[in-house]
């Protein structure tokens, strides 16, 4: 076993450091508090987006209930550490990945790459935890995409995949040892 890896971790796994964990507590985009998620600004952002990527079961449910099927949804069947029914939002393609909490695996990275090509809508079903996959979604998404992810107990964060946002997330991923994301 490689130095610095645990029995759960393999050479292709990239662990979130305590320093990065502190950095990521702050939303990566515009935070819509829960009470504003059904407001005009939020609805307009979702309606006008040419591509919507949701990360999280509740966010996927919320966008689906608004009548918009996410082009890509990343879910794990868990909400606030409790098992739940997966979102009842349609998808044409299913990509399954394993990704334990606090890291990004080589399989999760590969699965996200697969999800961005081919038939849409696509669901990435994560065995483990999907939280950190929001960074992959932003870094990999086309520049016209809008990525939405949940901020537990607070609301929804909306990130336009601009060149600046993509570069920022690629830099964070590089700090985790993940390079070559485009």
């Amino acid at each position: 076993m490689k130095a610095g890896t645990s029995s759960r971790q393999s050479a292709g796994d990239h662990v979130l450091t305590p320093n990065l964990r502190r950095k990521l507590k702050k939303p990566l985009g515009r935070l819509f508090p829960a009470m504003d998620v059904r407001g005009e600004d939020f609805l307009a952002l979702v309606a006008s987006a040419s591509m919507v990527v949701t990360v999280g079961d509740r966010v996927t449910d919320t966008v689906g209930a608004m009548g918009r099927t996410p082009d890509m949804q990343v879910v794990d069947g868990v909400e606030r550490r409790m098992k739940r029914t997966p979102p009842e939002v349609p998808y044409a393609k299913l990509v399954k990945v394993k990704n334990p909490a606090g890291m990004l695996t080589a399989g999760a990275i590969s699965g996200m790459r697969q999800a961005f090509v081919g038939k849409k809508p696509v669901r990435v079903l994560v065995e483990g935890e999907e939280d950190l996959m929001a960074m992959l979604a932003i870094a990999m998404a086309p520049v016209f995409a809008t990525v939405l992810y949940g901020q537990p107990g607070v609301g929804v964060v909306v990130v336009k995949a601009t060149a600046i946002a993509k570069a920022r997330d690629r830099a964070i991923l590089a700090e985790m040892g993940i390079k070559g994301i485009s």
Side-chain angles (χ1 to χ4, degrees):
M1 186 178 297
K2 201 172 167 186
T5 60
S6 70
S7 59
R8 281 183 6 156
Q9 185 182 342
S10 69
D13 295 342
H14 306 277
V15 179
L16 184 67
T17 64
N19 183 44
L20 281 175
R21 187 177 302 276
R22 281 189 296 279
K23 269 188 195 179
L24 294 175
K25 292 253 185 236
K26 183 179 176 203
L28 297 173
R30 181 175 175 190
L31 174 64
F32 284 84
M35 64 186 170
D36 295 340
V37 168
R38 302 229 185 249
E40 282 182 32
D41 287 350
F42 186 81
L43 294 171
L45 275 171
V46 173
S48 67
S50 54
M51 179 182 208
V52 171
V53 178
T54 56
V55 180
D57 295 67
R58 171 66 65 94
V59 174
T60 301
D61 276 337
T62 299
V63 171
M66 293 168 51
R68 174 74 188 252
T69 298
D71 298 280
M72 185 164 132
Q73 51 188 271
V74 183
V75 299
D76 63 3
V78 175
E79 186 175 337
R80 293 189 170 202
R81 304 195 196 295
M82 301 290 290
K83 222 35 174 156
R84 57 158 285 172
T85 305
E88 292 186 26
V89 176
Y91 57 92
K93 176 176 150 184
L94 177 66
V95 177
K96 293 182 178 183
V97 301
K98 291 184 181 182
N99 193 70
M103 66 175 63
L104 288 168
T105 64
I109 296 165
S110 175
M112 288 293 282
R113 281 191 176 112
Q114 288 174 39
F116 274 108
V117 296
K119 194 168 188 166
K120 304 283 184 280
V122 61
R123 173 175 283 180
V124 177
L125 181 60
V126 181
E127 181 184 321
E129 189 174 287
E130 90 285 80
D131 294 1
L132 293 178
M133 294 175 73
M135 286 186 303
L136 286 175
I138 296 163
M140 291 178 175
V143 292
F144 55 82
T146 300
V147 179
L148 298 93
Y149 70 89
Q151 189 84 11
V154 181
V156 176
V157 179
V158 177
V159 182
K160 297 266 188 186
T162 63
I164 292 169
K166 292 167 74 58
R168 176 204 57 218
D169 283 29
R170 287 181 186 137
I172 293 168
L173 292 167
E175 283 186 59
M176 290 178 68
I178 302 168
K179 304 216 186 327
I181 298 294
S182 59

